[in-house]
Amino acid sequence: MQLHHSKHHAAYVNNLNVAEEKYKEALAKGDVTAQVSLQPALKFNGGGHINHTIFWTNLSPNGGGEPKGELMEAIKRDFGSFANFKEKLTTLSVGVQGSGWGWLGFNKEQGRLQVTACSNQDPLQGTTGLVPLLGIDVWEHAYYLQYKNVRPDYLKAIWNVINWENVSSRYAACKK
């Protein structure tokens, strides 16, 4: 995970900074063509930064177990049980074709939790409207060194380091 943070996340931040600078120049010049051409870089690198920033706070060496309180009650209400939720998010994440993310998000309109997947570095809220609570990075760079190409083993292990306090705080904040 140190390599993941120091190399991959850092690259998204650096590339986002470059794209933002070019976008600022294009805005100043009124160059709409350049602004449009920069959108993919902004989405990819901005999404990579947003997603990884959430990911790091969602993890803890003292994590694992199950959530408590309001989050657990919402999980039971919306998925039937914690085991059902865990199975749905794991299955969805295993099934991401290529690279992407498995997510637990909050649907503000419906007042319910949802699981979904996003391709590449697409940011959850910006592409689905769901407020991100828990993100699981399923790009191979997230697990290749330890789990090779066996994504299911990585996903089985990730539950041992989920920081439920962070996920619960995100849930409480988005309901305000």
Side-chain angles (χ1 to χ4, degrees):
M1 287 294 172
Q2 289 175 346
L3 177 68
H4 186 172
H5 183 271
S6 65
K7 298 293 183 189
H8 294 284
H9 187 178
Y12 297 124
V13 172
N14 293 336
N15 291 332
L16 175 61
N17 290 337
V18 169
E20 285 178 329
E21 192 58 39
K22 289 180 179 178
Y23 192 81
K24 193 183 332 178
E25 292 170 11
L27 278 173
K29 293 177 184 174
D31 186 347
V32 177
T33 301
Q35 293 170 40
V36 171
S37 72
L38 288 163
Q39 292 299 309
L42 290 167
K43 181 179 180 185
F44 183 79
N45 293 295
H49 174 54
I50 291 166
N51 295 344
H52 283 90
T53 299
I54 295 166
F55 182 63
W56 302 128
T57 64
N58 282 167
L59 303 177
S60 169
N62 302 315
E66 297 182 358
K68 296 176 175 57
E70 283 189 67
L71 177 60
M72 180 59 115
E73 293 306 312
I75 287 171
K76 288 178 181 176
R77 177 195 69 217
D78 296 337
F79 300 101
S81 69
F82 180 74
N84 285 347
F85 153 70
K86 190 173 165 181
E87 181 182 338
K88 282 182 189 255
L89 185 52
T90 299
T91 300
L92 187 78
S93 299
V94 167
V96 171
Q97 292 185 348
S99 300
W101 292 77
W103 288 100
L104 170 65
F106 182 68
N107 183 321
K108 283 192 164 196
E109 288 180 20
Q110 296 177 4
R112 302 187 79 70
L113 300 174
Q114 288 180 229
V115 294
T116 193
C118 291
S119 298
N120 301 313
Q121 292 297 354
D122 292 0
L124 182 68
Q125 194 162 7
T127 56
T128 68
L130 298 176
V131 178
L133 304 178
L134 171 63
I136 300 177
D137 187 348
V138 292
W139 280 68
E140 282 192 345
H141 71 231
Y143 58 88
Y144 197 79
L145 292 176
Q146 189 169 357
Y147 296 98
K148 307 296 183 235
N149 63 344
V150 188
R151 187 182 287 176
D153 288 354
Y154 160 71
L155 288 166
K156 182 178 178 186
I158 195 99
W159 294 102
N160 297 322
V161 292
I162 299 297
N163 180 353
W164 289 112
E165 288 181 23
N166 176 266
V167 181
S168 293
S169 294
R170 290 176 175 284
Y171 178 62
C174 75
K175 289 179 33 182
K176 292 180 181 178

